[in-house]
Amino acid sequence: MHSASADELSPRESVLAERRLAAVTRFDERIPAIYRRAYDLPQEVADWIAGWGGTSLFLTGHIGVGKTHTAWHTCRRWMEAQYAPGQPWQGTPVIKVYRSTALFDALRPDAPDGEGRALVKELQRCDLLFVDDLAAARPSAWTQERLFELFDERYINRRPVIITCDVLPSQLSEVVGARVASRLAEMCRGSVVFLQGDDRRKGAAA
């Protein structure tokens, strides 16, 4: 496919190309070093990026198959796609990334000066939310209520989330509560991707 050179781009396209490069470069700096290696996304994930339409993505599979690596590069590709020709320009997309253990800790009721509630509002409104290893932590009843506030707002406004987890959405009730599990199951309907393969960490240590 022919790629337009800088001379062939319209002034608007040139500005968007510059902003896209700057945004992706900043995002690349956020990616942990271990996940920066170039990564070919599964076709199901590439299809989700191309036509997500407000749906969310659930990456599951055994420990070590590359769920987190896939998710980071999915976020990166999703950001790039927001600058594609024909997309309405709404500013640089805001992507928030949290490991579940850190998120649940930040939402605890004794967080100083209402920081937990402020975080919920921030994560309700961001353009894309990536929560890594969702079943790794066990939240309190309080945290489950804050998670409901967070995911319900994203659910009703069709704001996408990317979840990595070693269990299915239907098996998350004990972790996040039945109401959140139900919403995640609907948000990710048709977009649950099973990653297969051996534990890469064991292979690297061999």
Side-chain angles (χ1 to χ4, degrees), residues 124-142:
Q124 284 174 334
R125 297 170 182 166
C126 65
D127 297 300
L128 177 64
L129 173 63
F130 162 29
V131 180
D132 188 32
D133 208 2
L134 184 56
R138 290 295 182 269
S140 65
W142 167 274

Side-chain angles (χ1 to χ4, degrees), residues 56-97:
S56 294
L57 180 68
F58 197 98
L59 301 173
T60 188
H62 297 300
I63 293 173
V65 295
K67 299 184 293 295
T68 302
H69 198 156
T70 300
W72 273 106
H73 284 267
T74 301
C75 289
R76 185 186 191 280
R77 287 270 299 275
W78 182 90
M79 172 178 278
E80 289 183 299
Q82 306 316 298
Y83 294 86
Q87 288 281 2
W89 173 246
Q90 298 177 340
T92 300
V94 176
I95 300 176
K96 296 292 182 180
V97 179

Side-chain angles (χ1 to χ4, degrees), residues 71-182:
W72 273 106
H73 284 267
T74 301
C75 289
R76 185 186 191 280
R77 287 270 299 275
W78 182 90
M79 172 178 278
E80 289 183 299
Q82 306 316 298
Y83 294 86
Q87 288 281 2
W89 173 246
Q90 298 177 340
T92 300
V94 176
I95 300 176
K96 296 292 182 180
V97 179
Y98 263 91
R99 188 185 298 272
S100 65
T101 48
L103 176 60
F104 294 177
D105 186 55
L107 296 178
R108 69 190 189 278
D110 59 344
D113 300 324
E115 289 180 3
R117 288 194 176 276
L119 177 61
V120 167
K121 292 191 178 198
E122 181 182 345
L123 299 186
Q124 284 174 334
R125 297 170 182 166
C126 65
D127 297 300
L128 177 64
L129 173 63
F130 162 29
V131 180
D132 188 32
D133 208 2
L134 184 56
R138 290 295 182 269
S140 65
W142 167 274
T143 304
Q144 286 187 344
E145 287 298 320
R146 303 294 75 74
L147 289 173
F148 174 73
E149 292 178 20
L150 166 57
F151 283 107
D152 186 58
E153 181 72 14
R154 298 193 70 83
Y155 166 72
I156 63 179
N157 287 292
R158 292 173 64 93
R159 295 187 180 120
V161 300
I162 296 176
I163 302 290
T164 66
C165 194
D166 54 9
V167 301
L168 295 172
S170 59
Q171 300 171 312
L172 279 173
S173 293
E174 292 185 6
V175 179
V176 297
R179 293 182 299 171
V180 173
S182 174

